[in-house]
Each structure stands twice: as structure tokens, then as C-alpha cells.
Amino acid sequence: MSIALWCLMIAGWLPIVCAGISKWGASDFDNQYPREWLAKQEGHRKRANGAQQNSWEAFLWFGIAVLVAMATKADPGKIDDLAIIFIVCRIFFIGFYLANLSTLRTLAWLAGFITTLVIFASGA
């Protein structure tokens, strides 16, 4: 299996990790109404939930880009390298989001987004 496909799997796990961070250690977590509970949170829990939501959105476009690149027989080595860059950008994005560093978070998001566009266009 290619590195890009492993990266796709990692990208799918990132929002789940963010969800775990948003709930970890909370003594008042309400598993019966988790979304309502998360909507009331502040600080790192609220930011982790935001990172989770954004990570699901990024996962969709990254997945489409990787599959299109593979279907159009783009250079596998290039796609693997770009997929690794995407994952690194997303990890930085999540870290910056949790640390409340909005400018760096936006730059990491932008780098990941541009990487996704390049992956998609690689098969052209």
C-alpha cells in the first residue's frame, strides 16, 4: 500500500484524536448528549472540537485529491511526498488550534489546503 493511502488513514484518525482531546479528563462529560455538552465548552475543549470539525472537512478534500491523483496515474512518489506534507500541516494546524495561535493555525491550514490542490492537480 502506498504512503499516500497510509496518510489518508492517518488523516481520518486526526478528527477522532481531536474529539478525544475535547472530552479527555472532563468529569462532567455527558455521553448521552455529547454535542450539546461540547457546545457549552470553552478553552481548549472548544478549540479541540473546532479542530475536529475542520479536520473532517479537510479529510474529505484530501481523500478526493489522493484518489483522483491515483486514478489519473500521477507520479506516486510525488503524491506520497505531498501526502506527508499534508499530514504534517494538519498536525501543526491542530497544535496551533489547541494553543490558540490563530495566525499560525491559519498558515498551517493554508499550507495543507494548497497541498491538497497540488495533489489533485498532479494527475493533469
Side-chain angles (χ1 to χ4, degrees):
M1 186 158 55
S2 74
I3 291 171
L5 289 178
W6 284 108
C7 288
L8 188 57
M9 187 170 79
I10 292 167
W13 278 98
L14 289 176
I16 296 166
V17 169
C18 292
I21 292 169
S22 70
K23 299 168 190 170
W24 183 264
S27 60
D28 64 336
F29 176 67
D30 184 355
N31 198 39
Q32 188 172 3
Y33 300 103
R35 293 182 187 218
E36 289 83 355
W37 181 84
L38 280 167
K40 297 175 189 173
Q41 299 308 300
E42 298 295 327
H44 86 278
R45 294 188 194 287
K46 186 173 188 170
R47 291 190 301 274
N49 189 45
Q52 174 196 190
Q53 292 169 342
N54 186 273
S55 294
W56 284 120
E57 295 160 2
F59 173 64
L60 172 69
W61 290 106
F62 175 65
I64 290 168
V66 168
L67 295 176
V68 166
M70 292 180 147
T72 58
K73 304 206 184 317
D75 176 15
K78 180 179 179 182
I79 301 308
D80 288 347
D81 292 343
L82 289 167
I84 291 169
I85 291 169
F86 174 83
I87 293 299
V88 169
C89 289
R90 292 305 301 177
I91 289 170
F92 274 106
F93 170 85
I94 292 166
F96 293 145
Y97 210 142
L98 293 174
N100 202 22
L101 300 170
S102 59
T103 301
L104 292 174
R105 180 188 83 212
T106 299
L107 292 173
W109 177 89
L110 183 60
F113 180 72
I114 291 169
T115 303
T116 299
L117 295 176
V118 173
I119 292 170
F120 187 87
S122 292

